[in-house]
Amino acid sequence: MDDDDGSSSSKGAHNLLANKNIVWKPRITIEDYADKLKDCQSLGNMFHHYYIYGVKPTCELENQDFINAVKWKTSQAEDAKNALQERELKRKENPHVWKMREENIPPKEWTIPIITENTEKQ
């Protein structure tokens, strides 16, 4: 059944993409997009964001995602679909995680003694 050159899997993928009857669905539901927007606009998130970054969160991306999800659900708008797909790709490419240190030792500054009022008196 499989070709010797291994091209059967690429033919299958091509056939799936060529089939216009397959409807694309967002990764998450409209309710999830609404929850993300609600969480972003919550008082707790506003305090947290202001504490960390010094500014109030805009929630523009969450709002636009919600609008695009509604547009896609109601009218199957291609621009909304493309915007949701682009945001999903960006989310996958740029996860919010810290980069691991390349060295296993802490920086030199970590071993400097902390000077306090008590240590100055001694």
Side-chain angles (χ1 to χ4, degrees):
M1 301 220 171
D2 288 341
D3 294 345
D4 292 333
D5 62 8
S7 63
S8 64
S9 62
S10 63
K11 287 179 185 176
H14 178 69
N15 290 339
L16 276 176
L17 293 174
N19 188 352
K20 299 291 183 185
N21 295 331
I22 296 175
V23 178
W24 176 83
K25 290 183 183 179
R27 179 183 63 88
I28 60 177
T29 65
I30 290 178
E31 291 80 14
D32 292 333
Y33 283 113
D35 287 342
K36 283 182 159 192
L37 180 59
K38 184 179 174 184
D39 288 343
C40 183
Q41 294 172 338
S42 71
L43 191 60
N45 185 56
M46 287 190 186
F47 278 124
H48 175 76
H49 198 275
Y50 188 80
Y51 179 78
I52 299 295
Y53 302 108
V55 293
K56 183 180 125 183
T58 61
C59 302
E60 289 176 26
L61 295 175
E62 290 82 0
N63 189 36
Q64 194 59 46
D65 285 346
F66 176 68
I67 290 169
N68 286 329
V70 171
K71 279 173 59 176
W72 172 251
K73 180 79 172 182
T74 57
S75 65
Q76 302 279 315
E78 283 294 317
D79 60 330
K81 172 187 165 185
N82 294 337
L84 288 171
Q85 288 176 336
E86 184 179 320
R87 279 275 291 148
E88 180 62 23
L89 281 175
K90 284 183 182 177
R91 187 194 68 78
K92 286 181 180 179
E93 291 171 0
N94 187 15
H96 295 277
V97 296
W98 294 346
K99 289 186 178 181
M100 294 293 288
R101 272 194 306 218
E102 294 178 11
E103 306 165 350
N104 288 333
I105 56 173
K108 289 189 293 186
E109 299 85 36
W110 284 18
T111 58
I112 296 174
I114 299 174
I115 300 174
T116 63
E117 292 178 15
N118 293 338
T119 56
E120 288 177 0
K121 292 178 183 177
Q122 294 175 354

